[in-house]
Amino acid sequence: MTTRRSEKEVLDALLDQAVDATFETSDADILAEAKQEYANPSAHVAELRAMAAEKMALAKKSRLSTARAALDAATGQVQSMVQQLSLPELRARIQSLLPGTASAEDRLTLAFRNGEDMSEADLQSLLEDLEELAQDKPKDT
Amino acid sequence: MNDSSQAGHSQQEVEQAIHALSDADWLRLERAARYRVSGLPQINPQEILGEAVVRLMNEARNWPQGVAFAAFFRGVLRSVASEYRKDLLAPVEIREADLAPGDEEDAPSVAELTPGRAIDPQKRLQISEIMKEIQAHFGADDDVEAVLLGLEAGYTGKEIQAEFGLSDKAFGAARKRWERWLAKYYPNGIPL
């Protein structure tokens, strides 16, 4: 079943046909046609390549900026969360994030008990590191 | 199940593929960009080529395995041009004075006058003039005329070939004659 096209639709379809024809044109023919159009087709293509290289570099830079912004945002969230915790909450959170080996937990508990306690700033810093480690750790399936 | 045909490519692979495009590939892509900016006089064809490169880099994973890169590039080019068209062509304001008086049959329909879909009368006239120009030029070329008639009837390329008995070679040659004419008289696309 076909539908009669409007003149604009016919022109659109003709443009599609022209693009198809362009891509069916052999390398030799397209290069020969370019010689009629440009005084120096190679120089013209070099300009296109340079433009593409510039766009590729921009795309890569933009990708890095996006990744950096996402990372900074995640770090900022952790810092903000840690700053809001009281000392007991800090300790509890640190304990919950420590690797589940008795020796590690014991070491920290022993350090607290022996008065080798860390300052609040030290604990905050430790928790930030542990939170980041926990985020990087692959999820168990 | 790991279906590699769905896997796409990495940004690095896209970058390598762009570097590997031949001179002929670039010339084809640029020409396609010129046709794709038809109706967008404010857009330089190289601008949509550049935007397509950025899109290719950002959406590398959408380049399916097994699809030639130039073909994928071509599709992205079309998509970019289509988005530019959507963004840049503001709805046309239709005034009562623009409506064709008297001849109801030729007058634009209400749907055509709906903002966003409307083609203003001046543009409509321009399109008609271009169609007449094309028909006059190819009046003696039966194969191109068959393509024109087939497209007007809403046929696909294959249907045109079947309906008018055109071989692959004859259809391809007719299409190329049309493209050469377009490249000569409307190198930057048709002012749709």
Side-chain angles (χ1 to χ4, degrees), chain A residues 2 4-5 7 12 14-18 20 22 24-25 27 33 37-38 44 49 60 63, chain B residues 11 15 21 23 26 28 30-31 34 36 38 74 128 151-153 175-176 178-180 192:
Chain A
T2 58
R4 193 180 167 81
R5 289 178 166 127
E7 286 185 321
D12 280 335
L14 277 168
L15 287 167
D16 285 342
Q17 296 295 326
D20 286 346
T22 299
E24 283 168 8
T25 305
D27 285 7
E33 288 172 19
E37 196 173 349
Y38 303 106
H44 179 68
R49 287 185 200 280
K60 282 200 282 189
R63 197 182 171 99
Chain B
Q11 195 182 51
E15 199 175 350
L21 288 171
D23 283 12
W26 276 114
R28 284 190 198 96
E30 193 207 19
R31 198 179 283 191
R34 285 201 236 149
R36 290 287 174 222
S38 286
R74 175 185 165 178
S128 278
L151 291 178
E152 199 176 325
R175 202 146 74 161
K176 186 62 194 171
W178 148 246
E179 195 267 327
R180 283 212 172 102
L192 287 174

mmCIF file of all heavy atoms in Angstrom, chain A residues 2 4-5 7 12 14-18 20 22 24-25 27 33 37-38 44 49 60 63, chain B residues 11 15 21 23 26 28 30-31 34 36 38 74 128 151-153 175-176 178-180 192:
data_model
loop_
_atom_site.group_PDB
_atom_site.id
_atom_site.type_symbol
_atom_site.label_atom_id
_atom_site.label_comp_id
_atom_site.label_asym_id
_atom_site.label_seq_id
_atom_site.Cartn_x
_atom_site.Cartn_y
_atom_site.Cartn_z
ATOM 1 N N THR A 2 0.715 2.104 -0.960
ATOM 2 C CA THR A 2 1.534 3.317 -1.005
ATOM 3 C C THR A 2 0.649 4.557 -0.848
ATOM 4 O O THR A 2 -0.545 4.507 -1.097
ATOM 5 C CB THR A 2 2.289 3.425 -2.342
ATOM 6 O OG1 THR A 2 1.335 3.429 -3.393
ATOM 7 C CG2 THR A 2 3.253 2.274 -2.516
ATOM 8 N N ARG A 4 0.456 8.660 -1.905
ATOM 9 C CA ARG A 4 1.025 9.695 -2.770
ATOM 10 C C ARG A 4 1.732 10.742 -1.914
ATOM 11 O O ARG A 4 1.200 11.202 -0.905
ATOM 12 C CB ARG A 4 -0.108 10.336 -3.574
ATOM 13 C CG ARG A 4 0.368 11.181 -4.714
ATOM 14 C CD ARG A 4 -0.818 11.773 -5.464
ATOM 15 N NE ARG A 4 -0.371 12.820 -6.350
ATOM 16 C CZ ARG A 4 0.159 12.601 -7.534
ATOM 17 N NH1 ARG A 4 0.286 11.366 -7.978
ATOM 18 N NH2 ARG A 4 0.566 13.599 -8.289
ATOM 19 N N ARG A 5 2.954 11.081 -2.339
ATOM 20 C CA ARG A 5 3.743 12.024 -1.545
ATOM 21 C C ARG A 5 3.495 13.468 -2.003
ATOM 22 O O ARG A 5 3.209 13.719 -3.179
ATOM 23 C CB ARG A 5 5.231 11.728 -1.704
ATOM 24 C CG ARG A 5 5.676 10.446 -1.014
ATOM 25 C CD ARG A 5 7.155 10.221 -1.289
ATOM 26 N NE ARG A 5 7.717 9.217 -0.403
ATOM 27 C CZ ARG A 5 8.396 8.156 -0.827
ATOM 28 N NH1 ARG A 5 8.583 7.945 -2.110
ATOM 29 N NH2 ARG A 5 8.903 7.292 0.036
ATOM 30 N N GLU A 7 4.964 17.346 -2.752
ATOM 31 C CA GLU A 7 6.192 17.739 -3.466
ATOM 32 C C GLU A 7 7.381 17.818 -2.503
ATOM 33 O O GLU A 7 8.491 17.441 -2.860
ATOM 34 C CB GLU A 7 5.973 19.083 -4.165
ATOM 35 C CG GLU A 7 5.097 18.957 -5.406
ATOM 36 C CD GLU A 7 4.973 20.252 -6.177
ATOM 37 O OE1 GLU A 7 4.868 21.310 -5.531
ATOM 38 O OE2 GLU A 7 4.965 20.202 -7.425
ATOM 39 N N ASP A 12 12.409 15.396 -0.444
ATOM 40 C CA ASP A 12 13.121 14.719 0.657
ATOM 41 C C ASP A 12 13.589 13.338 0.196
ATOM 42 O O ASP A 12 14.730 12.931 0.453
ATOM 43 C CB ASP A 12 12.204 14.561 1.888
ATOM 44 C CG ASP A 12 12.098 15.846 2.700
ATOM 45 O OD1 ASP A 12 13.026 16.666 2.626
ATOM 46 O OD2 ASP A 12 11.077 16.024 3.384
ATOM 47 N N LEU A 14 14.057 12.384 -2.841
ATOM 48 C CA LEU A 14 15.103 12.546 -3.868
ATOM 49 C C LEU A 14 16.461 12.801 -3.217
ATOM 50 O O LEU A 14 17.495 12.325 -3.689
ATOM 51 C CB LEU A 14 14.746 13.706 -4.803
ATOM 52 C CG LEU A 14 13.784 13.368 -5.940
ATOM 53 C CD1 LEU A 14 13.287 14.647 -6.611
ATOM 54 C CD2 LEU A 14 14.438 12.464 -6.982
ATOM 55 N N LEU A 15 16.450 13.565 -2.125
ATOM 56 C CA LEU A 15 17.715 13.823 -1.416
ATOM 57 C C LEU A 15 18.264 12.526 -0.820
ATOM 58 O O LEU A 15 19.474 12.285 -0.861
ATOM 59 C CB LEU A 15 17.505 14.871 -0.318
ATOM 60 C CG LEU A 15 17.322 16.294 -0.837
ATOM 61 C CD1 LEU A 15 16.807 17.215 0.260
ATOM 62 C CD2 LEU A 15 18.634 16.846 -1.405
ATOM 63 N N ASP A 16 17.366 11.684 -0.312
ATOM 64 C CA ASP A 16 17.816 10.372 0.196
ATOM 65 C C ASP A 16 18.462 9.572 -0.935
ATOM 66 O O ASP A 16 19.490 8.914 -0.744
ATOM 67 C CB ASP A 16 16.625 9.572 0.749
ATOM 68 C CG ASP A 16 16.168 10.093 2.105
ATOM 69 O OD1 ASP A 16 16.937 10.806 2.760
ATOM 70 O OD2 ASP A 16 15.015 9.783 2.497
ATOM 71 N N GLN A 17 17.819 9.636 -2.118
ATOM 72 C CA GLN A 17 18.373 8.909 -3.271
ATOM 73 C C GLN A 17 19.752 9.453 -3.643
ATOM 74 O O GLN A 17 20.651 8.700 -4.011
ATOM 75 C CB GLN A 17 17.429 9.021 -4.489
ATOM 76 C CG GLN A 17 16.065 8.376 -4.294
ATOM 77 C CD GLN A 17 16.149 6.864 -4.115
ATOM 78 O OE1 GLN A 17 17.009 6.216 -4.702
ATOM 79 N NE2 GLN A 17 15.278 6.304 -3.299
ATOM 80 N N ALA A 18 19.891 10.782 -3.535
ATOM 81 C CA ALA A 18 21.187 11.397 -3.867
ATOM 82 C C ALA A 18 22.263 10.936 -2.894
ATOM 83 O O ALA A 18 23.398 10.650 -3.295
ATOM 84 C CB ALA A 18 21.065 12.919 -3.850
ATOM 85 N N ASP A 20 22.222 8.114 -1.245
ATOM 86 C CA ASP A 20 22.494 6.711 -1.618
ATOM 87 C C ASP A 20 23.449 6.651 -2.800
ATOM 88 O O ASP A 20 24.407 5.873 -2.806
ATOM 89 C CB ASP A 20 21.188 5.988 -1.995
ATOM 90 C CG ASP A 20 20.331 5.681 -0.764
ATOM 91 O OD1 ASP A 20 20.850 5.782 0.347
ATOM 92 O OD2 ASP A 20 19.143 5.341 -0.951
ATOM 93 N N THR A 22 25.580 8.846 -3.772
ATOM 94 C CA THR A 22 26.923 9.296 -3.350
ATOM 95 C C THR A 22 27.705 8.129 -2.751
ATOM 96 O O THR A 22 28.886 7.938 -3.049
ATOM 97 C CB THR A 22 26.794 10.428 -2.300
ATOM 98 O OG1 THR A 22 26.107 11.504 -2.907
ATOM 99 C CG2 THR A 22 28.138 10.894 -1.821
ATOM 100 N N GLU A 24 27.225 5.030 -3.300
ATOM 101 C CA GLU A 24 27.457 3.954 -4.270
ATOM 102 C C GLU A 24 28.522 4.348 -5.289
ATOM 103 O O GLU A 24 28.949 3.513 -6.086
ATOM 104 C CB GLU A 24 26.151 3.627 -5.010
ATOM 105 C CG GLU A 24 25.196 2.804 -4.155
ATOM 106 C CD GLU A 24 23.803 2.718 -4.761
ATOM 107 O OE1 GLU A 24 23.604 3.173 -5.911
ATOM 108 O OE2 GLU A 24 22.920 2.203 -4.065
ATOM 109 N N THR A 25 28.918 5.611 -5.272
ATOM 110 C CA THR A 25 29.924 6.072 -6.241
ATOM 111 C C THR A 25 31.291 5.497 -5.862
ATOM 112 O O THR A 25 31.672 5.514 -4.685
ATOM 113 C CB THR A 25 29.980 7.624 -6.236
ATOM 114 O OG1 THR A 25 28.666 8.116 -6.482
ATOM 115 C CG2 THR A 25 30.927 8.147 -7.298
ATOM 116 N N ASP A 27 35.337 4.925 -5.453
ATOM 117 C CA ASP A 27 36.392 5.822 -4.970
ATOM 118 C C ASP A 27 36.964 6.641 -6.121
ATOM 119 O O ASP A 27 37.135 7.861 -6.013
ATOM 120 C CB ASP A 27 37.539 5.015 -4.332
ATOM 121 C CG ASP A 27 37.160 4.490 -2.946
ATOM 122 O OD1 ASP A 27 35.978 4.635 -2.560
ATOM 123 O OD2 ASP A 27 38.036 3.925 -2.269
ATOM 124 N N GLU A 33 35.406 13.456 -9.366
ATOM 125 C CA GLU A 33 34.422 14.546 -9.217
ATOM 126 C C GLU A 33 34.974 15.645 -8.309
ATOM 127 O O GLU A 33 34.739 16.835 -8.547
ATOM 128 C CB GLU A 33 33.111 13.995 -8.657
ATOM 129 C CG GLU A 33 32.343 13.165 -9.669
ATOM 130 C CD GLU A 33 31.131 12.438 -9.067
ATOM 131 O OE1 GLU A 33 30.669 12.833 -7.980
ATOM 132 O OE2 GLU A 33 30.659 11.474 -9.697
ATOM 133 N N GLU A 37 35.682 19.938 -8.563
ATOM 134 C CA GLU A 37 35.096 20.883 -7.606
ATOM 135 C C GLU A 37 36.148 21.677 -6.832
ATOM 136 O O GLU A 37 35.943 22.844 -6.529
ATOM 137 C CB GLU A 37 34.222 20.099 -6.629
ATOM 138 C CG GLU A 37 33.284 20.967 -5.841
ATOM 139 C CD GLU A 37 32.311 20.133 -5.011
ATOM 140 O OE1 GLU A 37 32.225 18.899 -5.211
ATOM 141 O OE2 GLU A 37 31.662 20.727 -4.148
ATOM 142 N N TYR A 38 37.227 21.024 -6.482
ATOM 143 C CA TYR A 38 38.257 21.677 -5.656
ATOM 144 C C TYR A 38 39.587 21.734 -6.406
ATOM 145 O O TYR A 38 39.963 20.762 -7.068
ATOM 146 C CB TYR A 38 38.488 20.903 -4.351
ATOM 147 C CG TYR A 38 37.242 20.721 -3.521
ATOM 148 C CD1 TYR A 38 36.601 19.487 -3.453
ATOM 149 C CD2 TYR A 38 36.689 21.796 -2.805
ATOM 150 C CE1 TYR A 38 35.451 19.314 -2.710
ATOM 151 C CE2 TYR A 38 35.540 21.632 -2.057
ATOM 152 C CZ TYR A 38 34.927 20.389 -2.007
ATOM 153 O OH TYR A 38 33.786 20.222 -1.274
ATOM 154 N N HIS A 44 41.651 19.804 0.725
ATOM 155 C CA HIS A 44 40.295 19.934 1.264
ATOM 156 C C HIS A 44 40.004 18.806 2.254
ATOM 157 O O HIS A 44 39.463 19.041 3.344
ATOM 158 C CB HIS A 44 39.277 19.928 0.124
ATOM 159 C CG HIS A 44 37.867 20.042 0.604
ATOM 160 N ND1 HIS A 44 37.378 21.190 1.190
ATOM 161 C CD2 HIS A 44 36.858 19.130 0.650
ATOM 162 C CE1 HIS A 44 36.117 20.989 1.551
ATOM 163 N NE2 HIS A 44 35.776 19.752 1.236
ATOM 164 N N ARG A 49 39.734 16.350 7.869
ATOM 165 C CA ARG A 49 40.380 15.500 8.889
ATOM 166 C C ARG A 49 40.783 16.326 10.113
ATOM 167 O O ARG A 49 40.625 15.883 11.252
ATOM 168 C CB ARG A 49 41.632 14.834 8.311
ATOM 169 C CG ARG A 49 41.360 13.722 7.324
ATOM 170 C CD ARG A 49 42.702 13.077 6.931
ATOM 171 N NE ARG A 49 42.613 12.343 5.691
ATOM 172 C CZ ARG A 49 42.120 11.121 5.575
ATOM 173 N NH1 ARG A 49 41.667 10.506 6.640
ATOM 174 N NH2 ARG A 49 42.081 10.519 4.405
ATOM 175 N N LYS A 60 36.701 14.015 23.795
ATOM 176 C CA LYS A 60 37.438 13.286 24.837
ATOM 177 C C LYS A 60 37.568 14.156 26.096
ATOM 178 O O LYS A 60 37.413 13.690 27.214
ATOM 179 C CB LYS A 60 38.817 12.871 24.331
ATOM 180 C CG LYS A 60 38.726 11.640 23.425
ATOM 181 C CD LYS A 60 40.047 10.935 23.317
ATOM 182 C CE LYS A 60 40.979 11.643 22.378
ATOM 183 N NZ LYS A 60 42.187 10.871 22.088
ATOM 184 N N ARG A 63 34.365 14.306 27.910
ATOM 185 C CA ARG A 63 34.118 13.050 28.617
ATOM 186 C C ARG A 63 34.900 13.016 29.947
ATOM 187 O O ARG A 63 34.374 12.605 30.974
ATOM 188 C CB ARG A 63 34.568 11.899 27.717
ATOM 189 C CG ARG A 63 34.025 10.540 28.102
ATOM 190 C CD ARG A 63 34.616 9.529 27.132
ATOM 191 N NE ARG A 63 34.339 8.180 27.533
ATOM 192 C CZ ARG A 63 33.368 7.452 27.030
ATOM 193 N NH1 ARG A 63 32.564 7.955 26.128
ATOM 194 N NH2 ARG A 63 33.192 6.212 27.438
ATOM 195 N N GLN B 11 35.086 3.923 22.486
ATOM 196 C CA GLN B 11 35.422 5.243 21.950
ATOM 197 C C GLN B 11 36.743 5.180 21.169
ATOM 198 O O GLN B 11 36.899 5.828 20.139
ATOM 199 C CB GLN B 11 35.529 6.238 23.106
ATOM 200 C CG GLN B 11 35.516 7.676 22.647
ATOM 201 C CD GLN B 11 35.665 8.657 23.780
ATOM 202 O OE1 GLN B 11 36.571 8.543 24.593
ATOM 203 N NE2 GLN B 11 34.785 9.639 23.848
ATOM 204 N N GLU B 15 37.482 6.244 17.340
ATOM 205 C CA GLU B 15 38.562 7.166 16.993
ATOM 206 C C GLU B 15 39.440 6.555 15.891
ATOM 207 O O GLU B 15 39.789 7.226 14.914
ATOM 208 C CB GLU B 15 39.389 7.452 18.246
ATOM 209 C CG GLU B 15 40.222 8.695 18.113
ATOM 210 C CD GLU B 15 40.957 9.038 19.398
ATOM 211 O OE1 GLU B 15 40.663 8.423 20.444
ATOM 212 O OE2 GLU B 15 41.828 9.906 19.332
ATOM 213 N N LEU B 21 39.306 6.558 7.904
ATOM 214 C CA LEU B 21 38.463 6.917 6.751
ATOM 215 C C LEU B 21 39.352 7.406 5.603
ATOM 216 O O LEU B 21 40.272 8.205 5.818
ATOM 217 C CB LEU B 21 37.468 8.020 7.138
ATOM 218 C CG LEU B 21 36.312 7.623 8.068
ATOM 219 C CD1 LEU B 21 35.553 8.873 8.536
ATOM 220 C CD2 LEU B 21 35.353 6.661 7.382
ATOM 221 N N ASP B 23 40.210 9.262 1.830
ATOM 222 C CA ASP B 23 39.831 10.543 1.217
ATOM 223 C C ASP B 23 38.447 10.430 0.579
ATOM 224 O O ASP B 23 37.614 11.326 0.708
ATOM 225 C CB ASP B 23 40.857 10.936 0.135
ATOM 226 C CG ASP B 23 42.148 11.480 0.748
ATOM 227 O OD1 ASP B 23 42.323 11.341 1.981
ATOM 228 O OD2 ASP B 23 42.967 12.038 -0.002
ATOM 229 N N TRP B 26 35.701 10.570 3.123
ATOM 230 C CA TRP B 26 35.447 11.933 3.601
ATOM 231 C C TRP B 26 34.674 12.747 2.573
ATOM 232 O O TRP B 26 33.783 13.517 2.923
ATOM 233 C CB TRP B 26 36.764 12.644 3.953
ATOM 234 C CG TRP B 26 37.242 12.322 5.328
ATOM 235 C CD1 TRP B 26 38.365 11.625 5.665
ATOM 236 C CD2 TRP B 26 36.604 12.660 6.567
ATOM 237 N NE1 TRP B 26 38.457 11.511 7.032
ATOM 238 C CE2 TRP B 26 37.393 12.128 7.609
ATOM 239 C CE3 TRP B 26 35.435 13.336 6.884
ATOM 240 C CZ2 TRP B 26 37.046 12.282 8.955
ATOM 241 C CZ3 TRP B 26 35.088 13.488 8.226
ATOM 242 C CH2 TRP B 26 35.890 12.963 9.236
ATOM 243 N N ARG B 28 32.627 11.618 0.309
ATOM 244 C CA ARG B 28 31.233 11.136 0.284
ATOM 245 C C ARG B 28 30.458 11.695 1.482
ATOM 246 O O ARG B 28 29.333 12.164 1.342
ATOM 247 C CB ARG B 28 31.195 9.605 0.355
ATOM 248 C CG ARG B 28 31.559 8.928 -0.925
ATOM 249 C CD ARG B 28 31.259 7.426 -0.818
ATOM 250 N NE ARG B 28 31.973 6.721 -1.851
ATOM 251 C CZ ARG B 28 33.164 6.133 -1.667
ATOM 252 N NH1 ARG B 28 33.736 6.136 -0.492
ATOM 253 N NH2 ARG B 28 33.754 5.522 -2.675
ATOM 254 N N GLU B 30 31.081 14.329 3.250
ATOM 255 C CA GLU B 30 30.860 15.770 3.150
ATOM 256 C C GLU B 30 29.729 16.079 2.174
ATOM 257 O O GLU B 30 28.893 16.945 2.413
ATOM 258 C CB GLU B 30 32.142 16.479 2.710
ATOM 259 C CG GLU B 30 32.021 17.983 2.909
ATOM 260 C CD GLU B 30 32.866 18.788 1.971
ATOM 261 O OE1 GLU B 30 33.283 18.253 0.922
ATOM 262 O OE2 GLU B 30 33.109 19.961 2.282
ATOM 263 N N ARG B 31 29.708 15.323 1.076
ATOM 264 C CA ARG B 31 28.643 15.566 0.102
ATOM 265 C C ARG B 31 27.281 15.204 0.707
ATOM 266 O O ARG B 31 26.294 15.905 0.517
ATOM 267 C CB ARG B 31 28.902 14.761 -1.179
ATOM 268 C CG ARG B 31 28.095 15.315 -2.320
ATOM 269 C CD ARG B 31 28.328 14.585 -3.595
ATOM 270 N NE ARG B 31 29.585 14.949 -4.231
ATOM 271 C CZ ARG B 31 29.895 14.584 -5.467
ATOM 272 N NH1 ARG B 31 29.070 13.853 -6.184
ATOM 273 N NH2 ARG B 31 31.047 14.932 -5.991
ATOM 274 N N ARG B 34 26.147 17.930 2.832
ATOM 275 C CA ARG B 34 25.621 19.060 2.067
ATOM 276 C C ARG B 34 24.162 18.828 1.681
ATOM 277 O O ARG B 34 23.343 19.738 1.741
ATOM 278 C CB ARG B 34 26.448 19.260 0.797
ATOM 279 C CG ARG B 34 27.781 19.892 1.064
ATOM 280 C CD ARG B 34 28.271 20.505 -0.217
ATOM 281 N NE ARG B 34 29.578 19.985 -0.549
ATOM 282 C CZ ARG B 34 30.029 19.827 -1.784
ATOM 283 N NH1 ARG B 34 29.259 20.088 -2.818
ATOM 284 N NH2 ARG B 34 31.232 19.396 -2.002
ATOM 285 N N ARG B 36 22.175 16.895 3.283
ATOM 286 C CA ARG B 36 21.373 16.817 4.516
ATOM 287 C C ARG B 36 21.063 18.192 5.107
ATOM 288 O O ARG B 36 20.173 18.310 5.929
ATOM 289 C CB ARG B 36 22.100 15.969 5.568
ATOM 290 C CG ARG B 36 22.164 14.496 5.232
ATOM 291 C CD ARG B 36 20.830 13.837 5.398
ATOM 292 N NE ARG B 36 20.831 12.448 4.949
ATOM 293 C CZ ARG B 36 19.852 11.898 4.245
ATOM 294 N NH1 ARG B 36 18.801 12.603 3.900
ATOM 295 N NH2 ARG B 36 19.908 10.641 3.881
ATOM 296 N N SER B 38 19.891 20.555 3.471
ATOM 297 C CA SER B 38 18.845 21.158 2.636
ATOM 298 C C SER B 38 17.802 21.805 3.541
ATOM 299 O O SER B 38 17.324 21.178 4.491
ATOM 300 C CB SER B 38 18.163 20.084 1.779
ATOM 301 O OG SER B 38 19.031 19.695 0.748
ATOM 302 N N ARG B 74 27.131 7.676 8.356
ATOM 303 C CA ARG B 74 26.104 8.237 7.481
ATOM 304 C C ARG B 74 24.754 8.343 8.215
ATOM 305 O O ARG B 74 24.038 9.336 8.103
ATOM 306 C CB ARG B 74 25.995 7.307 6.268
ATOM 307 C CG ARG B 74 24.924 7.633 5.317
ATOM 308 C CD ARG B 74 24.899 6.532 4.269
ATOM 309 N NE ARG B 74 23.669 6.588 3.522
ATOM 310 C CZ ARG B 74 23.384 5.790 2.525
ATOM 311 N NH1 ARG B 74 24.237 4.861 2.151
ATOM 312 N NH2 ARG B 74 22.252 5.905 1.891
ATOM 313 N N SER B 128 7.595 23.917 -5.544
ATOM 314 C CA SER B 128 6.948 23.605 -6.826
ATOM 315 C C SER B 128 7.844 23.991 -7.993
ATOM 316 O O SER B 128 7.950 23.259 -8.985
ATOM 317 C CB SER B 128 5.624 24.373 -6.952
ATOM 318 O OG SER B 128 4.624 23.700 -6.276
ATOM 319 N N LEU B 151 8.762 7.810 -6.716
ATOM 320 C CA LEU B 151 8.863 8.459 -5.400
ATOM 321 C C LEU B 151 7.580 9.220 -5.085
ATOM 322 O O LEU B 151 7.095 9.227 -3.953
ATOM 323 C CB LEU B 151 10.066 9.407 -5.360
ATOM 324 C CG LEU B 151 11.439 8.735 -5.400
ATOM 325 C CD1 LEU B 151 12.542 9.788 -5.413
ATOM 326 C CD2 LEU B 151 11.645 7.790 -4.212
ATOM 327 N N GLU B 152 7.033 9.850 -6.133
ATOM 328 C CA GLU B 152 5.793 10.594 -5.936
ATOM 329 C C GLU B 152 4.668 9.645 -5.499
ATOM 330 O O GLU B 152 3.825 9.993 -4.673
ATOM 331 C CB GLU B 152 5.423 11.285 -7.246
ATOM 332 C CG GLU B 152 4.450 12.413 -7.059
ATOM 333 C CD GLU B 152 4.181 13.140 -8.371
ATOM 334 O OE1 GLU B 152 5.121 13.258 -9.195
ATOM 335 O OE2 GLU B 152 3.048 13.552 -8.574
ATOM 336 N N ALA B 153 4.686 8.443 -6.068
ATOM 337 C CA ALA B 153 3.648 7.459 -5.731
ATOM 338 C C ALA B 153 3.912 6.807 -4.373
ATOM 339 O O ALA B 153 3.112 5.994 -3.916
ATOM 340 C CB ALA B 153 3.584 6.397 -6.823
ATOM 341 N N ARG B 175 19.876 7.164 -10.609
ATOM 342 C CA ARG B 175 20.075 7.831 -9.336
ATOM 343 C C ARG B 175 21.336 8.697 -9.370
ATOM 344 O O ARG B 175 21.359 9.801 -8.847
ATOM 345 C CB ARG B 175 20.215 6.730 -8.283
ATOM 346 C CG ARG B 175 19.929 7.134 -6.920
ATOM 347 C CD ARG B 175 19.299 6.042 -6.141
ATOM 348 N NE ARG B 175 20.225 4.989 -5.762
ATOM 349 C CZ ARG B 175 19.964 4.129 -4.786
ATOM 350 N NH1 ARG B 175 18.835 4.191 -4.135
ATOM 351 N NH2 ARG B 175 20.810 3.195 -4.489
ATOM 352 N N LYS B 176 22.369 8.187 -10.015
ATOM 353 C CA LYS B 176 23.635 8.923 -10.102
ATOM 354 C C LYS B 176 23.482 10.161 -10.989
ATOM 355 O O LYS B 176 24.053 11.216 -10.688
ATOM 356 C CB LYS B 176 24.741 8.000 -10.636
ATOM 357 C CG LYS B 176 26.127 8.620 -10.624
ATOM 358 C CD LYS B 176 26.588 8.982 -9.215
ATOM 359 C CE LYS B 176 27.798 9.907 -9.220
ATOM 360 N NZ LYS B 176 28.137 10.425 -7.898
ATOM 361 N N TRP B 178 20.816 11.877 -11.379
ATOM 362 C CA TRP B 178 20.099 12.856 -10.546
ATOM 363 C C TRP B 178 21.056 13.489 -9.541
ATOM 364 O O TRP B 178 21.067 14.707 -9.369
ATOM 365 C CB TRP B 178 18.930 12.161 -9.845
ATOM 366 C CG TRP B 178 18.594 12.710 -8.481
ATOM 367 C CD1 TRP B 178 18.721 12.074 -7.293
ATOM 368 C CD2 TRP B 178 18.102 14.019 -8.161
ATOM 369 N NE1 TRP B 178 18.355 12.896 -6.257
ATOM 370 C CE2 TRP B 178 17.968 14.112 -6.762
ATOM 371 C CE3 TRP B 178 17.787 15.154 -8.921
ATOM 372 C CZ2 TRP B 178 17.520 15.240 -6.108
ATOM 373 C CZ3 TRP B 178 17.340 16.297 -8.263
ATOM 374 C CH2 TRP B 178 17.207 16.328 -6.881
ATOM 375 N N GLU B 179 21.895 12.691 -8.937
ATOM 376 C CA GLU B 179 22.810 13.201 -7.919
ATOM 377 C C GLU B 179 23.820 14.170 -8.535
ATOM 378 O O GLU B 179 24.156 15.202 -7.945
ATOM 379 C CB GLU B 179 23.527 12.032 -7.229
ATOM 380 C CG GLU B 179 24.224 12.385 -5.924
ATOM 381 C CD GLU B 179 25.678 12.765 -6.092
ATOM 382 O OE1 GLU B 179 26.344 12.229 -6.992
ATOM 383 O OE2 GLU B 179 26.154 13.609 -5.319
ATOM 384 N N ARG B 180 24.264 13.850 -9.744
ATOM 385 C CA ARG B 180 25.226 14.747 -10.424
ATOM 386 C C ARG B 180 24.576 16.102 -10.707
ATOM 387 O O ARG B 180 25.195 17.143 -10.560
ATOM 388 C CB ARG B 180 25.700 14.109 -11.734
ATOM 389 C CG ARG B 180 26.725 13.030 -11.506
ATOM 390 C CD ARG B 180 27.728 12.964 -12.682
ATOM 391 N NE ARG B 180 28.810 12.058 -12.358
ATOM 392 C CZ ARG B 180 28.902 10.818 -12.820
ATOM 393 N NH1 ARG B 180 27.967 10.344 -13.637
ATOM 394 N NH2 ARG B 180 29.896 10.039 -12.479
ATOM 395 N N LEU B 192 14.727 23.656 0.896
ATOM 396 C CA LEU B 192 13.385 23.139 1.220
ATOM 397 C C LEU B 192 12.643 24.048 2.192
ATOM 398 O O LEU B 192 13.244 24.548 3.120
ATOM 399 C CB LEU B 192 13.515 21.751 1.851
ATOM 400 C CG LEU B 192 13.889 20.616 0.912
ATOM 401 C CD1 LEU B 192 14.131 19.350 1.703
ATOM 402 C CD2 LEU B 192 12.810 20.374 -0.118
#
